[in-house]
Amino acid sequence: MNYAALIPARGGSKGLPRKNIIDLAGKPLIAYSIEAALGCAAVGGVYVTTDDAEIASVSVQHGAQHIARPAALATDSASTFVAIEHAIAVLAEQGQKPAHIVLLQPTSPLRDARHLAEAIAAYEAADAPALISVCEEEHHPYKNFRVDGSGRLEPLFDAASLSKPRQELPKIYRQNGAIYIIRTETLLREKSFYVAGCVPYVMSAAASVDVDTIEDLHRCEEMLEASKKSTG
């Protein structure tokens, strides 16, 4: 197995309760990420790491394999890395040693198999240690302020940038949480999904919607319905 897709989905979401399996246009939210991974020929295994029995059951129903995550690794303060590190250890115990890890956040339902295949191709073409999906930042940080110790505004970067046309400023990208690809040995050594030499996979703002609130969920529903109408 060259690429293993790992989908972290703990049960204790606070902002949008049970969001990983909440209904989105007739399917559980997590099903979109599972289907994206299953639809990508380069991915050799699709695993959901979760502490939650219902999430595990739903994930298996949609074609993923389940990795039981200990409760201690599913707290609000537990990092994604420790959950993935545990999942890699479980796979190793099963005799599975993927060369590369593909991290898919279940809250990115508009990332599909095409995005995933393109990202893996870009990662391989660059011979990079890691890849992170990004989208262009809508609000350019060069236009931002901070408040100084006396309560006055000062430019976050420099005064000249505040009045420059956006076209004259460098493009700025933010990680959208949809796709992370990294060599397994690099991840275990660096304990981070970002390492020097990492390359980007640029996605549209529309495909980069992250479901964190009910408003995000409704926005995704509208976009999926619009896509069905345009292709139907």
Side-chain angles (χ1 to χ4, degrees):
M1 181 168 51
N2 203 20
Y3 290 90
L6 299 180
I7 304 172
R10 67 187 185 91
S13 53
K14 298 283 177 62
L16 187 59
R18 310 298 293 162
K19 71 178 177 181
N20 288 316
I21 53 174
I22 198 169
D23 181 82
L24 172 60
K27 287 189 291 190
L29 179 63
I30 199 169
Y32 291 86
S33 293
I34 294 171
E35 290 173 0
L38 290 172
C40 180
V43 173
V46 182
Y47 304 87
V48 170
T49 165
T50 184
D51 60 314
D52 187 277
E54 186 179 11
I55 292 175
S57 176
V58 168
S59 298
V60 170
Q61 288 171 23
H62 284 86
Q65 298 180 65
H66 171 227
I67 294 176
R69 191 194 313 186
L73 303 183
T75 63
D76 289 343
S77 60
S79 68
T80 298
F81 168 75
V82 298
I84 299 304
E85 182 182 42
H86 170 263
I88 292 170
V90 171
L91 291 178
E93 290 172 0
Q94 298 173 356
Q96 302 285 350
K97 296 182 179 180
H100 310 274
I101 296 300
V102 181
L103 169 65
L104 303 177
Q105 303 278 18
T107 51
S108 298
L110 302 182
R111 169 253 296 112
D112 58 23
R114 176 184 63 83
H115 293 123
L116 192 50
E118 289 178 354
I120 291 175
Y123 169 73
E124 292 183 342
D127 191 24
L131 174 146
I132 295 176
S133 63
V134 298
C135 63
E136 190 171 353
E137 179 59 71
E138 180 182 358
H139 303 290
H140 204 291
Y142 281 33
K143 300 287 188 179
N144 289 352
F145 294 95
R146 58 188 166 199
V147 177
D148 66 17
S150 62
R152 305 300 176 96
L153 286 177
E154 62 179 25
L156 182 59
F157 291 94
D158 59 77
S161 296
L162 295 173
S163 56
K164 280 184 179 179
R166 186 182 179 93
Q167 294 79 3
E168 293 183 14
L169 298 174
K171 282 191 175 183
I172 301 294
Y173 299 91
R174 64 173 176 85
Q175 56 182 336
N176 64 2
I179 304 170
Y180 297 82
I181 307 173
I182 190 167
R183 295 174 186 170
T184 306
E185 61 180 26
T186 302
L187 175 62
L188 295 176
R189 182 181 68 248
E190 301 295 333
K191 302 185 184 303
S192 173
F193 290 93
Y194 170 78
V195 294
C198 181
V199 294
Y201 173 65
V202 182
M203 296 174 61
S204 68
S208 298
V209 176
D210 179 67
V211 176
D212 194 45
T213 67
I214 193 67
E215 290 77 18
D216 297 330
L217 188 73
H218 292 160
R219 181 182 173 196
C220 279
E221 287 175 338
E222 291 171 0
M223 295 174 74
L224 288 168
E225 288 301 321
S227 177
K228 286 181 183 177
K229 290 178 181 177
S230 65
T231 57

